[in-house]
Amino acid sequence: DTETKYSEKENRELAEFKPFIQNNEINYNFGNDFNDWFSDRFFLRYNIVRRYMDTKFNISFNYYETSKGFINKRNNFMSERLYPSKDNLSEQELKEYAYSLNELNKFCKENKIKLYILTSPAKQNIYAEELYPFIGKTNEVTKIKQMNSYVLKQDGINIIYTYDALKKLSKTDAVYFKTDHHLTDSANYLVYQLLMKEIVKDFPDLKIEEESKFDNFYTKEVRSEFGRYFFEGRTYHFLNLHNTKVLDKRYKYYKHKKHNLLSTQIINQRNKEDYTGKEYYYPPGKYKAIFMG
């Protein structure tokens, strides 16, 4: 398709066609521009790229990598690349974080909004051993705890950090999908409990839904993002893999027994269906949840 501007499979913008003469001026880079445009669109290109990437994957030994990420073929854990960072945040960085969070907190108070902040660690902090040697010890956990302690002391803002709870869960259940950077349903349910424990302190008429209120099912397929669609074993797009053999883990999924009571409205819709945001309404009309992305 000569008009296609974006590749969903490769998760990137395609080269645009730039004519030889445009706005009455000669494009002296026309040869390179045309080559880039044609290279992104020649007949059967997608099939050739797919076969090429699959061949590279199959002939690699313990690890397969690209410039942006890798897969440990011994356990099928995938990750994007991380780069070394310093151990601690500077005083200036802490002040900048604290200022931003305090401004958000002030806005919420002025508009009678109760603010709760919850953060989860990156996948590499939970599964550093599984991603070794490409990922070793990271400094994210130390820096996040440092920041949380600082803003609590300076502004009284309590941030719920889920690292310790998720690390403990990882001993018995999957916390992140092997082939994706999102939390599993099991981890999300735990995070939900941690958040709700704080919310019910202020809104005691709310309740934390017990696990018995959910139906569970197991599958090797992976789903994420707002739409909750299932994907191939290729969710790290920059690896461009189509080999479903990497899906070797059965994941536990949660589906609330009364999920049909929620009505959903898409907000700020742009190019991708249900991507930008969603509003969830509960029929009694007392509460509304807004998800933005």
Side-chain angles (χ1 to χ4, degrees), residues 19 25 106 190 196 208 272 276:
E25 293 184 359
K106 285 196 301 184
L190 174 60
M196 287 301 298
I208 303 175
K272 292 186 177 181
T276 307

Side-chain angles (χ1 to χ4, degrees), residues 149-167:
S149 177
Y150 185 88
V151 297
L152 178 61
K153 182 178 179 181
Q154 295 291 319
D155 304 306
I157 300 175
N158 181 36
I159 300 176
I160 307 166
Y161 187 42
T162 63
Y163 171 78
D164 292 332
L166 291 177
K167 187 64 177 177

Side-chain angles (χ1 to χ4, degrees), residues 271-287:
N271 295 328
K272 292 186 177 181
E273 183 181 359
D274 79 358
Y275 177 78
T276 307
K278 275 188 177 183
E279 293 184 7
Y280 292 87
Y281 296 90
Y282 190 64
K286 191 169 184 179
Y287 296 106

Side-chain angles (χ1 to χ4, degrees), residues 200-232:
V200 296
K201 293 177 182 178
D202 302 307
F203 301 93
D205 57 322
L206 291 176
K207 63 178 181 179
I208 303 175
E209 290 290 68
E210 299 176 355
E211 196 162 0
S212 60
K213 296 296 182 68
F214 296 84
D215 289 325
N216 297 119
F217 63 96
Y218 293 82
T219 178
K220 292 181 180 180
E221 292 182 293
V222 173
R223 68 179 181 186
S224 57
E225 302 293 357
F226 288 136
R228 305 289 284 155
Y229 309 118
F230 284 102
F231 294 91
E232 301 173 31

Side-chain angles (χ1 to χ4, degrees), residues 126-137:
I126 299 294
Y127 292 116
E129 294 181 6
E130 288 79 0
L131 295 170
Y132 183 83
F134 290 91
I135 302 293
K137 180 182 179 182

